[in-house]
Amino acid sequence: MRFQSTKKKNLPLIIFIIFSLLISCYLLTQIDLWEFSKYLLIIPTMLMGSLVAGSSPLGGGVVAFPVMSYLLTELAELASIYSLAIQSFGMTSASIFLYIHFKDKIKFDVLKFTIPIALLTCLLSPFLKEYMALSNLKLIFASFWFGNGIILFYIKERITTTEEKRVLSKNFTEILIISAVSISGALISSIIGSGADFLLFIYLATRLGKDMKSATATSVIQMAFVSTFLTIMNFTYVASSQSILKVSHYLAYSIPVVVIFAPLGSYILTRVSKKILKNWIYFIIIAQYMTALVILELGYFDYIKSILIVTSTLLIYYIVRKVEFK
């Protein structure tokens, strides 16, 4: 009887997994199966990426992007498109799991503000990107996430801010800050394939004083919406048909992995200690940054750019954490 109840409770997740597997099967029919060995690396990569996406505020893109752009030598633009596409499956799967089993940890009062603003920004992002210098996406990605790692190091397990004072729905300052966080996160995600979830995590953990697990669960759902919306845009009119064809090859092999292991990551999130969670995140961020420094063969000015990006990331954190409007 209990098994039947659990099965019924998980029915939405089961339906989504079956739907995702059908998409994967369809993609497999469109490619040359003899090229399987070429895509072997993407399977263990997304196994780790999906666990990261479900158990942390980083998103699977923090693993997918560096592997594709550093190790598989794909164009950074292609890596960004793939990161968003695979997160749209993995983080949606994780979000359904979190909603079913840990609904009380999700901050819906925040999401009702952040999701509409982020999606509107996504619509404008193709036009905004035309005016931005994006010649080195790999360096931007690595430096941005290294800055976030520094931020996370200083975030205590629970920041005791005056949570009662900062009520989102009735505070002009909070509405302004959360709008800026949503816009910045969506724009950064459209460029490097991830970021919206971590910026929201910073806001929840450091400004509103939410515990790490609640902030993480909420940020996973935010990124699920952003990555899915941006992926729909990429596959319909933003990305080139050649890029979509290449991305589809990788998706065919990795979708079955992420839709199963991302919910597992969310389950792990609710079971591990906060110290283990933070150390896991540190490892991922430091590993990808060190890999970038070795593989990208940066010049003197590249290091200066990296420092500026890290500094800008820390400045965003300071503004989110401290700013007040009287």
Side-chain angles (χ1 to χ4, degrees):
M1 190 74 177
R2 185 178 179 181
F3 173 78
Q4 291 294 333
S5 176
T6 303
K7 186 177 179 181
K8 185 177 180 180
K9 190 176 183 180
N10 288 309
L11 185 60
L13 179 59
I14 295 171
I15 292 174
F16 180 76
I17 291 175
I18 294 174
F19 169 74
S20 301
L21 294 177
L22 289 174
I23 291 179
S24 179
C25 290
Y26 170 75
L27 293 176
L28 284 172
T29 64
Q30 307 300 308
I31 63 180
D32 184 359
L33 294 179
W34 293 106
E35 293 183 330
F36 176 75
S37 60
K38 180 180 178 182
Y39 303 98
L40 278 178
L41 185 59
I42 204 64
I43 295 176
T45 296
M46 290 322 304
L47 193 154
M48 177 179 286
S50 57
L51 290 175
V52 170
S55 63
S56 75
L58 299 183
V62 77
V63 176
F65 186 98
V67 169
M68 288 194 72
S69 57
Y70 306 159
L71 302 181
L72 298 178
T73 64
E74 296 285 3
L75 295 174
E77 181 185 0
L78 182 62
S80 175
I81 295 171
Y82 171 77
S83 295
L84 289 168
I86 199 60
Q87 284 178 109
S88 67
F89 286 94
M91 300 195 86
T92 298
S93 183
S95 296
I96 294 172
F97 177 85
L98 288 168
Y99 182 82
I100 292 172
H101 296 281
F102 305 100
K103 188 177 180 179
D104 58 316
K105 290 186 176 294
I106 302 170
K107 307 306 297 181
F108 292 102
D109 58 326
V110 174
L111 289 174
K112 73 178 182 181
F113 283 94
T114 60
I115 291 176
I117 295 172
L119 297 187
L120 180 61
T121 305
C122 290
L123 285 173
L124 301 175
S125 63
F127 306 101
L128 296 175
K129 286 167 65 177
E130 292 182 7
Y131 300 96
M132 301 179 68
L134 303 176
S135 57
N136 199 337
L137 283 180
K138 299 176 184 179
L139 179 63
I140 293 173
F141 180 93
S143 303
F144 171 75
W145 281 112
F146 186 70
N148 285 328
I150 296 174
I151 291 169
L152 187 64
F153 182 79
Y154 287 102
I155 295 178
K156 297 179 182 179
E157 291 190 0
R158 182 177 177 88
I159 305 294
T160 54
T161 57
T162 53
E163 189 174 342
E164 294 79 10
K165 179 182 176 182
R166 289 173 172 161
V167 180
L168 181 60
S169 60
K170 297 181 180 180
N171 189 314
F172 173 75
T173 298
E174 299 314 309
I175 293 176
L176 193 61
I177 293 294
I178 197 62
S179 297
V181 167
S182 302
I183 292 171
S184 301
L187 185 57
I188 291 172
S189 294
S190 69
I191 296 171
I192 64 174
S194 59
D197 39 0
F198 196 83
L199 290 185
L200 180 60
F201 171 83
I202 291 174
Y203 175 83
L204 291 170
T206 67
R207 191 169 180 89
L208 295 190
K210 305 301 180 183
D211 67 85
M212 283 190 66
K213 293 186 178 182
S214 175
T216 299
T218 305
S219 69
V220 166
I221 293 178
Q222 172 81 359
M223 193 61 201
F225 274 90
V226 170
S227 59
T228 300
F229 196 76
L230 284 171
T231 296
I232 292 173
M233 290 174 58
N234 283 332
F235 273 69
T236 51
Y237 69 92
V238 175
S240 66
S241 57
Q242 185 177 6
S243 295
I244 295 303
L245 180 61
K246 289 184 178 180
V247 167
S248 297
H249 281 62
Y250 287 103
L251 288 176
Y253 294 105
S254 54
I255 286 176
V257 177
V258 301
V259 294
I260 294 173
F261 282 92
L264 178 60
S266 295
Y267 176 79
I268 293 173
L269 166 68
T270 64
R271 292 291 183 266
V272 301
S273 68
K274 295 172 184 177
K275 182 178 180 180
I276 293 176
L277 178 61
K278 290 178 75 172
N279 288 337
W280 167 241
I281 296 171
Y282 294 150
F283 170 77
I284 296 296
I285 291 176
I286 294 174
Q288 69 88 23
Y289 190 64
M290 292 298 104
T291 302
L293 295 182
V294 172
I295 294 180
L296 294 183
E297 300 179 350
L298 303 178
Y300 177 75
F301 288 106
D302 290 323
Y303 282 105
I304 294 177
K305 290 178 185 177
S306 179
I307 293 172
L308 289 175
I309 294 169
V310 172
T311 303
S312 300
T313 305
L314 297 177
L315 181 61
I316 292 175
Y317 162 70
Y318 179 82
I319 293 173
V320 170
R321 177 78 177 90
K322 295 291 187 179
V323 71
E324 296 283 358
F325 297 98
K326 303 297 183 182

